[in-house]
Amino acid sequence: MSIADTPELQGRRIVLGLSGGIACYKSAELVRLLVKAGASVHVVMTEAAQHFVTPVTFQALSGHPVYTDQWDAREPNNMAHINLTRGADAIVIAPASADGIAKLAQGRADDLLSLLCLARPWGAGEERCPLLLAPAMNREMWAHPATQRNVAQVRADGALVLGPALGDQACGEVGDGRMLEPEELLEEIVAALRPKSLLGRKVLVTAGPTFEAIDPVRGITNLSSGKMGFAIARAAREAGAEVTLVAGPVALATPRGVRRLDVRSAQEMHDAVVPIAAQYDVFVATAAVADWRPATLAPHKIKKDGKKLAPSFELTENPDILATVAALPKPPYCVGFAAESENLLAHARSKLERKRVPLVVGNLGPATFGKDHNSLLLVDAQGHRELPPGGGMADKQTLARLLVAEIAGRLAAYQA
């Protein structure tokens, strides 16, 4: 299997714990997504959880026996609480009830799930098994001082708390306490298990096209979908960075944990990026910014006049965002993108020299705009090479992770 088609959690072993709550129904979809992502999932259910869903469901979805009792004699040594956590990459409790969180905060171990959490390798060594909690409860229960004390304690003890979300609750009330959706939890689990090569760093990313208005309803734009830039923002966040994403007009969900600023035109993107760029360690200019815009904006829609004469208008050059950031007194590490239709290497190298940046990433725009796969050409002063290594195509999220790892490796030398 090549790096281009390896599932995100291939070879990972996840222990999924369910404590009592109506959100248990979401956990079935979470198991399906984890398995699809390549993980081996082993489910542990409390007695309360079994009142909402059955172990049969999770055995069918995971392909493994479900554990419900600390005295389960199926284990040769009768120590499921030890065996399940040794070699596990993470324990995920979803849903994590108020009672379940209280048990963890107090170090109680009166059922299999709380017992295996206490018995997991929790130190800093290679065998460390991280604990991820997805709270799910009524809004008043979540806001209660006792719950907030317990959440603060489990965080202090090293657990990663995912959510909760705000929204409609099964009881009919609305507020904080909803368990994150399965897709959101999958993204968080993947992020938790990724290497933290940019921990403590700040990354600024631009993505998508810009739209340069001709009149109130028409404009100049391009076919960029923003998928590559959004994938880079997600990958940088997975690597531990604090990420800000400045997005042109695209229809994409914001990656979890990423701050997003929406803009429309090249000038708006320039005005959003340049004042803050010096605060960041890395600037990745993925956006396909329009080079020109109409010099004047027609106040009303330009109509046909019956004479079959096409309207004409003067163009003026847009500000160069990448070159402006690269010329700052203390610029971040700047990565430019070159979306070309021909002579990729020559045009990418020309952009590298013209913008005076340390790295330009080239790709063929017509071959990748709007698509889920891409191939990249990394061009710097020393030479060039392909991503994925050896050439070919890879999905954009895989490429984004490879590029972020590349940037992290270059960053230390750049700032030395």
Side-chain angles (χ1 to χ4, degrees), residues 221-244:
T221 188
N222 58 66
L223 296 173
S224 173
S225 65
K227 289 180 179 180
M228 193 72 238
F230 274 61
I232 291 169
R234 177 184 171 185
R237 186 257 175 165
E238 290 175 348
E242 178 185 330
V243 182
T244 297

Side-chain angles (χ1 to χ4, degrees), residues 9 23 61 109 117 126 155 203 213 230 238 267-268 271 273 280 287 301 314 326 336 340 353 357 371 400:
L9 293 175
L61 290 170
C117 288
E126 292 184 3
R155 281 195 175 115
V203 176
F230 274 61
E238 290 175 348
Q267 187 64 55
E268 289 177 358
D271 294 346
V273 167
Y280 290 80
K301 179 182 176 181
E314 182 183 356
E340 306 294 344
E353 296 167 355
V357 297
K371 296 182 172 65

